[in-house]
Amino acid sequence: MLTAHYSIVLPADYDMDVVTRRVADRSGPWDSRAGLLLKAFCATHVTDTGHNSYAPFYVWEHTDEFRRFLTGPEYAGLCAAFGPVPVRTGTVLHCRIGTGPAGLLVSESLPLGDPTDLRRTAAEETERHHSALADPSVHSHIVDLDPHTMTLTRRTLLHATSEPPQPKNGERVARVLHLSRPHRTTDA
């Protein structure tokens, strides 16, 4: 399993209804996309975060399907609309995908430095993962590691009825415009 994420920063005066319409028009096929466990169509708004962005997050069960996305018409169309879009990826350490609608995505990335042994980090993240899932506002929780930059990222989807959290130091909060879950629930 791997994660993929990109964030397209848009001008402060950008009409975010364009993004909302784009998601409404193009999200349907993702609801049954082979190899995909989750795609959260996310956006930030200048009034909430100080900037506008379109920032989808994916959990791919099969890397071949991720490759097909990158080399296929979806990614080509994204780049045609917004210019070159770098995609960050990570290896999934923990993943629990819930059911029902999600309203917010809270992300936190932590540089690990130059570890030579990730066993302790993995054990600590197992505890954090289970603790996060005990919170009734949590819809899904995914932890990934980018082995190139040695960055650990925790992503927490909150149920649609959850109140927006006050971001802690380094956390980013985005609104979920649509959540595609072709396989509905997953534990990893």
Side-chain angles (χ1 to χ4, degrees):
M1 264 193 285
L2 67 88
T3 62
H5 177 258
Y6 50 87
S7 183
I8 302 165
V9 177
L10 302 166
D13 61 350
Y14 191 84
D15 180 1
M16 291 302 288
D17 287 338
V18 171
V19 172
T20 302
R21 284 190 303 274
R22 180 181 177 88
V23 168
D25 292 345
R26 297 174 185 231
S27 61
W30 292 97
D31 293 338
S32 58
R33 177 68 187 254
L36 181 71
L37 295 176
L38 175 145
K39 179 177 180 180
F41 293 81
C42 299
T44 62
H45 297 266
V46 70
T47 55
D48 297 331
T49 62
H51 68 279
N52 288 325
S53 71
Y54 173 53
F57 167 65
Y58 306 74
V59 179
W60 292 93
E61 184 174 25
H62 302 292
T63 56
D64 281 351
E65 290 301 324
F66 174 61
R67 175 186 50 79
R68 284 185 187 98
F69 161 71
L70 281 179
T71 60
E74 296 107 341
Y75 185 71
L78 181 71
C79 292
F82 297 106
V85 179
V87 179
R88 292 182 291 275
T89 61
T91 299
V92 174
L93 300 181
H94 297 288
C95 177
R96 172 70 175 106
I97 299 173
T99 59
L104 298 165
L105 175 67
V106 180
S107 302
E108 174 186 25
S109 295
L110 307 163
L112 298 178
D114 294 320
T116 56
D117 188 339
L118 292 170
R119 290 177 288 186
R120 181 177 174 168
T121 300
E124 290 170 354
E125 287 308 311
T126 297
E127 289 179 28
R128 279 193 180 95
H129 178 68
H130 292 297
S131 177
L133 292 173
D135 183 337
S137 68
V138 171
H139 177 285
S140 301
H141 189 253
I142 300 100
V143 181
D144 69 54
L145 173 69
D146 177 341
H148 177 73
T149 63
M150 282 299 170
T151 301
L152 184 83
T153 302
R154 299 178 194 119
R155 292 185 177 90
T156 306
L157 283 161
L158 301 177
H159 287 286
T161 57
S162 299
E163 291 294 319
Q166 190 65 22
K168 298 174 189 156
N169 189 25
E171 286 184 337
R172 299 166 311 279
V173 178
R175 293 176 194 229
V176 178
L177 304 176
H178 179 79
L179 184 65
S180 292
R181 294 178 325 277
H183 297 290
R184 302 297 176 231
T185 60
T186 283
D187 259 322

